[in-house]
Amino acid sequence: MTTDGAVPPPPPGLRESKKQETRQLISDVATGLFLAQGFERTTVAEIAAAARVAKKTVTNYFPHKEDLALDHQDAFAASLADAVTSRQAGESALSALRRAFAAAATDADPVAGFSGPEFARMIVESPTLSARLRDLHDRREAALADALADATGAPPGDLTPRIAAALLGAVHRTLFRRIQELTLAGQDNARISATVITEADNAFSLLEPALAAYATA
């Protein structure tokens, strides 16, 4: 029992633990190969051989090759919506997203774009991964629009949540690219964090006239 009296969840069973270990092994092996020889030049068969598993096992865990490289994609797509749905009482969507980005930048969170130079270079050099990343930005913006619609009780067909999500999503897209640019320029995470936190504050301030009180909890 935890200190607050709640019963902790049971530990994963042996079968589930083995599945998690296999998934992590495949992911780690794939990342190593992608960084060493490039995403486009690495095949799923090579990954399976290096991980000593069947090719079918790889595709069972990762249906698309891009899934092996972008292992945080579900968390990424949900990140902005999660910030809105978990906002504090009296906090607007803009304030919640501003606070969440500052925290992510301080922590050098990979979901915010802090991936390291080798990984960032792999992304920009791969047309496939660059296209998938654009799709993920679109998914994240759509999820944010849904969260804003729920938060404001917007009627079906109301464009306001989509417009607000587009504005907020554009800021996050730009900041993500900025982190990539600074990473590829050779800056360390501490310096990048300091830079983008200041730039994010300026960017979010530009949206205050329109969104300062929008979707306040």
Side-chain angles (χ1 to χ4, degrees):
M1 183 173 293
T2 61
T3 56
D4 61 1
V7 177
L14 182 61
R15 178 181 175 85
E16 185 60 31
S17 294
K18 181 62 176 176
K19 288 172 64 177
Q20 293 175 3
E21 290 173 4
T22 300
R23 188 184 193 283
Q24 189 62 53
L25 170 66
I26 294 169
S27 177
D28 291 345
V29 168
T31 298
L33 288 174
F34 292 152
L35 295 178
Q37 59 193 37
F39 177 82
E40 306 291 350
R41 291 188 294 274
T42 302
T43 67
V44 173
E46 287 178 303
I47 294 167
R52 298 184 178 181
V53 298
K55 183 178 177 181
K56 181 67 173 176
T57 301
V58 175
T59 55
N60 282 342
Y61 285 102
F62 302 93
H64 306 97
K65 194 171 84 165
E66 302 95 301
D67 299 336
L68 286 156
L70 302 172
D71 205 17
H72 297 292
Q73 59 184 318
D74 290 338
F76 178 88
S79 59
L80 304 188
D82 288 346
V84 169
T85 56
S86 63
R87 68 198 186 286
Q88 300 168 0
E91 188 175 40
S92 69
L94 175 61
S95 294
L97 289 166
R98 188 179 211 156
R99 176 172 55 82
F101 180 83
T106 298
D107 294 341
D109 189 345
V111 174
F114 290 85
S115 58
E118 295 85 2
F119 197 89
R121 189 171 298 109
M122 178 187 73
I123 296 289
V124 301
E125 291 179 352
S126 167
T128 303
L129 291 179
S130 295
R132 172 58 71 88
L133 186 56
R134 289 192 293 271
D135 289 342
L136 287 173
H137 279 292
D138 289 343
R139 278 180 53 194
R140 184 166 71 161
E141 184 179 308
L144 174 59
D146 289 341
L148 292 172
D150 289 342
T152 59
D158 186 353
L159 283 179
T160 305
R162 289 161 57 185
I163 292 170
L167 292 171
L168 293 162
V171 169
H172 283 85
R173 287 176 194 251
T174 303
L175 291 170
F176 188 96
R177 287 196 295 268
R178 180 64 163 157
I179 293 168
Q180 283 190 310
E181 291 169 4
L182 296 175
T183 299
L184 292 172
Q187 295 190 17
D188 61 29
N189 283 347
R191 186 176 175 189
I192 295 170
S193 293
T195 298
V196 298
I197 286 172
T198 298
E199 293 175 337
D201 193 50
N202 293 334
F204 287 121
S205 292
L206 292 174
L207 300 183
E208 284 184 350
L211 299 175
Y214 180 69
T216 298

